Amino acid sequence: MPSTHLEQIRAKVEAGRRLSFEDGLFLAEQADLFTLGELANLVRERKNGNYTYYNVNTHLNPTNVCVYRCTFCAFRADLKSPKGYVMSDAQILERAAEAERRGATEMHIVGGLHHQLPYDWYLNVVRIIHAEHPRLHLKAYTAVEWDWFSRLTGRPTRSILAEFKEAGLGSLPGGGAEIFHPEVRDKICEHKADADVWLRIHREAHELGLRSNATMLYGHIENSRHRVDHLCRLRELQDDTGGFQTFIPLAFHPENTGLAHISKAGVLMDLQIMALSRLMLDNFPHIKAYWIMLGIPTAQVALSYGADDLDGTVVHEKIYHDAGSDSPQELTVAEIRRLIEEAGRIPIERDTLYREVVREAGDWKTGQPLTLVQAG
C-alpha cells in the first residue's frame, strides 16, 4: 500500500479514481508544482490526447454601466460616468457583421447590469444578432445577468432562459462564479447572485439543453480551502447534469479595482491552479488556458499542466484589459496554431460545442464531434 498521502493520490489518479476534498487541499498546500503538473498532464492526455483546441470568436460587451459595485471589477461604470457606454443596435449588428467577415463561429456576449435598461433590451441583443447572422453561435450572459433579468421581470430564470433560447441563445459563459464560499463571496460581491443561485441557473440551462462553461476567480482574498470547495461544488453539479463543457481558471487582475493593493498571482500559482483544476474536475471534458488573462507564455506552458484549450482569437475584449491585462487584443489563427505547435501539441479548431471546424475556400463547416478525437 502507498505510504504517503501523495503516493495515495498518485495511485488514485493513475487508476482514474476521484480525488476527495482532503486530497485537493493536500495538493494545493503541500504538493510540489512539478508533481502537480505531471499528474494533471496524465489526466489531460487521457481525456484529450495530444490535441489542443481553439476557436475563432469575438467578444461583445454591449454596456459597461452596472448597478453592482464588485470590488474586483475594473470594467463597470456608473450611470453618469464619462467611461459609461451603451451600444446601439447598429453598433451591435456591425460588430456581428465584422465577426462574420472574419470567419468567427462564436460571439461571447457579457456586460454590465444597466439599471435603466429594460429586460427587452437584453433580449433584443440576442434576437437581432441571431436574425441577421444565424450561423454565429451566441454564448451569452453570465448567471449573474440571468439573475438580474429575473429581478427585472419577476419571472423565474428557467422561463427567461427558454425565451432567450428561442430567440437564438446557444450556450452560457461561465462568468460570475468568482468564489462560491460565502466567507469570500460576501466580501467581494455581496449583493449579486450567490453560489446557490449561480449553480441553480446553470442546472436549469443544462436541463433546457443549453451547454455552459464554469469559472473560478483566484488570487485575491481566498485561500486553498475556498478554491477546493469551489471545484467540488462544480464537480457535484456536473455529476447531476453533464452540461458543463469547459472550466476556465481566471486569475484576478488587481489594477484599477478596489483590491489594487493585492499583488497579481504569479506564473507558479497560475500553473498550480490549472493543474489542481484538471485533477479535481474529473468529469469536465476540457480545461481552458485563457491566454488573454494568463499571458501567452504561461498559457503555452499550461498546456502541459492540465489545459487542453487555448480559447480563441478573442477580438474586442474589454473586461480584463480594463483591469490591466497587457496581452494582445487578438491573435490570428496562424499565431494560435504556432503557439500550440511550439508547446508540442496538435492544434484543432472547434466550434463552441466542441465540433471540429473544417475550412475550405473561405467558408467553414462543422465536422465530427471532438469526443471522437478524444476517444482516440
Side-chain angles (χ1 to χ4, degrees):
M1 287 290 292
S3 58
T4 70
H5 197 169
L6 184 58
E7 288 171 335
Q8 292 168 6
I9 290 171
R10 179 184 293 277
K12 282 185 178 181
V13 172
E14 291 175 348
R17 291 162 48 209
R18 173 159 288 183
L19 301 184
S20 66
F21 176 91
E22 290 73 21
D23 293 334
L25 198 58
F26 177 88
L27 289 173
E29 295 183 345
Q30 299 191 50
D32 68 273
L33 183 62
F34 296 106
T35 298
L36 266 176
E38 176 195 1
L39 295 175
N41 191 57
L42 188 157
V43 176
R44 178 247 198 267
E45 294 189 352
R46 183 189 294 153
K47 287 182 175 289
N48 294 290
N50 203 33
Y51 301 107
T52 291
Y53 307 108
Y54 69 92
N55 68 337
V56 179
N57 64 344
T58 190
H59 281 219
L60 175 69
N61 307 122
T63 181
N64 66 342
V65 176
C66 191
V67 66
Y68 293 136
R69 296 175 177 271
C70 301
T71 56
F72 60 82
C73 183
F75 170 71
R76 72 164 303 277
D78 289 326
L79 186 64
K80 296 181 180 180
S81 168
K83 174 187 169 185
Y85 69 87
V86 178
M87 295 177 71
S88 67
D89 286 3
Q91 289 172 316
I92 289 166
L93 287 174
E94 174 51 35
R95 182 68 59 79
E98 177 193 3
E100 191 110 70
R101 289 192 299 269
R102 297 168 67 99
T105 61
E106 170 193 292
M107 286 197 80
H108 179 121
I109 306 170
V110 297
L113 307 177
H114 194 306
H115 34 306
Q116 291 189 359
L117 291 175
Y119 165 76
D120 286 345
W121 184 86
Y122 298 93
L123 177 62
N124 184 62
V125 171
V126 169
R127 181 174 282 146
I128 62 175
I129 295 174
H130 183 66
E132 293 286 330
H133 304 279
R135 294 187 76 195
L136 282 176
H137 179 104
L138 304 182
K139 183 173 71 178
Y141 301 126
T142 68
V144 174
E145 288 163 289
W146 296 110
D147 178 62
W148 176 249
F149 302 157
S150 178
R151 297 183 192 208
L152 278 179
T153 61
R155 292 168 50 193
T157 48
R158 182 186 295 271
S159 167
I160 293 169
L161 285 163
E163 183 174 21
F164 269 82
K165 182 181 179 184
E166 187 175 350
L169 176 69
S171 64
L172 272 62
E178 323 312 357
I179 288 287
F180 288 147
H181 202 289
E183 288 178 2
V184 176
R185 197 175 189 87
D186 290 351
K187 294 177 181 176
I188 64 172
C189 50
E190 62 178 331
H191 296 298
K192 72 181 187 182
D194 64 16
D196 289 341
V197 170
W198 192 99
L199 292 162
R200 173 180 55 76
I201 289 169
H202 280 262
R203 179 186 295 275
E204 291 170 351
H206 298 168
E207 290 170 352
L208 288 168
L210 294 164
R211 307 301 295 274
S212 72
N213 292 341
T215 62
M216 177 177 70
L217 185 71
Y218 66 89
H220 42 93
I221 64 170
E222 90 291 356
N223 61 37
S224 299
R225 180 169 55 88
H226 301 130
R227 295 179 206 128
V228 176
D229 171 77
H230 188 100
L231 296 172
C232 288
R233 294 190 68 170
L234 288 174
R235 187 172 71 181
E236 182 179 354
L237 178 55
Q238 181 75 333
D239 278 344
D240 290 345
T241 69
F244 287 119
Q245 298 193 115
T246 310
F247 175 74
I248 310 104
L250 298 174
F252 173 58
H253 281 242
E255 190 174 327
N256 301 321
T257 76
L259 297 172
H261 59 284
I262 294 176
S263 298
K264 182 183 175 298
V267 173
L268 299 185
M269 174 178 267
D270 291 336
L271 295 176
Q272 180 204 51
I273 300 297
M274 193 70 62
L276 180 67
S277 302
R278 179 65 285 172
L279 290 166
M280 294 301 295
L281 297 176
D282 52 55
N283 52 8
F284 273 61
H286 305 286
I287 304 290
K288 183 182 294 184
Y290 186 37
W291 64 263
I292 210 157
M293 171 271 291
L294 291 172
I296 290 169
T298 304
Q300 283 183 289
V301 177
L303 298 180
S304 294
Y305 279 76
D308 63 274
D309 192 301
L310 210 57
D311 202 81
T313 46
V314 189
V315 186
H316 300 298
E317 196 282 335
K318 288 184 63 63
I319 294 173
Y320 269 89
H321 283 93
D322 282 355
S325 173
D326 59 1
S327 61
Q329 269 286 354
E330 63 176 299
L331 291 175
T332 66
V333 168
E335 288 170 329
I336 288 176
R337 294 184 69 90
R338 175 182 59 80
L339 293 172
I340 292 170
E341 289 169 350
E342 280 182 357
R345 302 298 190 183
I346 300 168
I348 296 182
E349 183 182 348
R350 59 162 179 89
D351 70 358
T352 310
L353 301 178
Y354 283 84
R355 296 170 298 197
E356 185 172 10
V357 172
V358 180
R359 294 188 182 265
E360 296 175 353
D363 198 8
W364 60 270
K365 62 181 180 180
T366 53
Q368 292 291 323
L370 290 170
T371 49
L372 300 179
V373 175
Q374 295 158 23

